[in-house]
Amino acid sequence: MHSRQERRAATLELDFVGRLLRRPGSLAAVLADIIRALAPISVVSAVLAIGWVETAVMMLVFLGVLLARAAALPAGLDGATCAVLLAAAWFSVADLYAQVAWIDLATHFAVGAVLAALARIMLERWDASGLTPSQGRTTVASVVAGALVGAALGLALSVVWEFLEWWGHTYIDDTVNVGYLDTLSDVAVGGLGGLIAGSVLAITSRGRTR
C-alpha cells in the first residue's frame, strides 16, 4: 500500500499538470497566456541571435511563467507575473539597468512583489503548515502576518537573485553590476515588494480556493 505522503505527492503532481494544461477561462487568462507565449519565443531568440548567458536567463523566465500557470494564479496576477519577468530579462539584454538608473530598483520591486505572491500562493496550494490564510474575515493580525510572510519571501528571493548576479559577475561577465549599495538597495526594494504583495494577498484571500 502507498503511504499518505506518496498519495499526497501523486495528487500534487496531478494537480500541477492539470493546472498547467487547463484551458483559459476568461479573456484576462487568454491575455496572460499570450504574454506567457513570449517566453519560449525569447528562449529561441536568445539561442539563435544573442548568446548562451542570455539563453539561460530566458530559460529561467520560461520556468517562472510555467510555474505561474501551474499555480493557477488569478488571471491579472498571472499576466502581471509573466510581463514583469519577461521585462526584467529583456531589460538586462538591452543593458537598460546601466543606462537608466531607476529601472534597476523598480524592476527589483516589481519582481520581488510578483515572485513573493507566486511563492505564497504555491505554498497555499501545497497546504504549507502555518502559511495558509484563514478563510474567515480579514483581521489586522492576518494582514500583518501576510505582510511578514510576503516580506520574508521577497527578501529571500532577492538574496537568491543577488547571489546569481555575483556569480555571473565573478565567473561569467565582469560587466554585470554588483556592489555593496547596489545589493542592499535591490534586496530592500525586493523585500518591500514582497511585503506589499503579502498584504494585498492577505486582504483578498477570503474565499480563494486552494
Side-chain angles (χ1 to χ4, degrees), residues 156-177:
L157 292 166
S158 296
V159 169
V160 173
W161 181 331
E162 292 305 309
F163 176 80
L164 291 174
E165 283 191 349
W166 167 84
W167 187 83
H169 172 85
T170 304
Y171 298 106
I172 298 177
D173 183 357
D174 61 9
T175 63
V176 175
N177 185 35

Side-chain angles (χ1 to χ4, degrees), residues 69-122:
R69 197 175 210 287
L73 299 180
L77 177 58
D78 188 13
T81 299
C82 296
V84 167
L85 295 182
L86 281 162
W90 279 107
F91 288 167
S92 176
V93 171
D95 200 30
L96 287 182
Y97 295 125
Q99 298 177 30
V100 184
W102 62 267
I103 286 183
D104 184 42
L105 291 180
T107 302
H108 276 277
F109 174 84
V111 171
V114 298
L115 288 186
L118 172 60
R120 173 64 184 266
I121 290 177
M122 289 185 72

Side-chain angles (χ1 to χ4, degrees), residues 25-187:
S26 65
L27 177 59
V30 171
L31 293 175
D33 281 340
I34 290 173
I35 299 172
R36 191 181 345 270
L38 297 176
I41 294 173
S42 298
V43 172
V44 173
S45 299
V47 170
L48 296 179
I50 307 176
W52 71 271
V53 174
E54 291 78 8
T55 299
V57 171
M58 296 303 175
M59 290 181 69
L60 284 174
V61 170
F62 191 19
L63 174 62
V65 300
L66 288 180
L67 287 176
R69 197 175 210 287
L73 299 180
L77 177 58
D78 188 13
T81 299
C82 296
V84 167
L85 295 182
L86 281 162
W90 279 107
F91 288 167
S92 176
V93 171
D95 200 30
L96 287 182
Y97 295 125
Q99 298 177 30
V100 184
W102 62 267
I103 286 183
D104 184 42
L105 291 180
T107 302
H108 276 277
F109 174 84
V111 171
V114 298
L115 288 186
L118 172 60
R120 173 64 184 266
I121 290 177
M122 289 185 72
L123 288 170
E124 291 176 13
R125 301 295 184 195
W126 294 335
D127 199 22
S129 176
L131 292 179
T132 303
S134 170
Q135 297 302 310
R137 65 186 183 86
T138 300
T139 65
V140 173
S142 68
V143 174
V144 171
L148 292 176
V149 171
L153 291 170
L155 289 169
L157 292 166
S158 296
V159 169
V160 173
W161 181 331
E162 292 305 309
F163 176 80
L164 291 174
E165 283 191 349
W166 167 84
W167 187 83
H169 172 85
T170 304
Y171 298 106
I172 298 177
D173 183 357
D174 61 9
T175 63
V176 175
N177 185 35
V178 295
Y180 184 71
L181 290 178
D182 176 74
T183 297
L184 286 181
S185 59
D186 289 348
V187 170

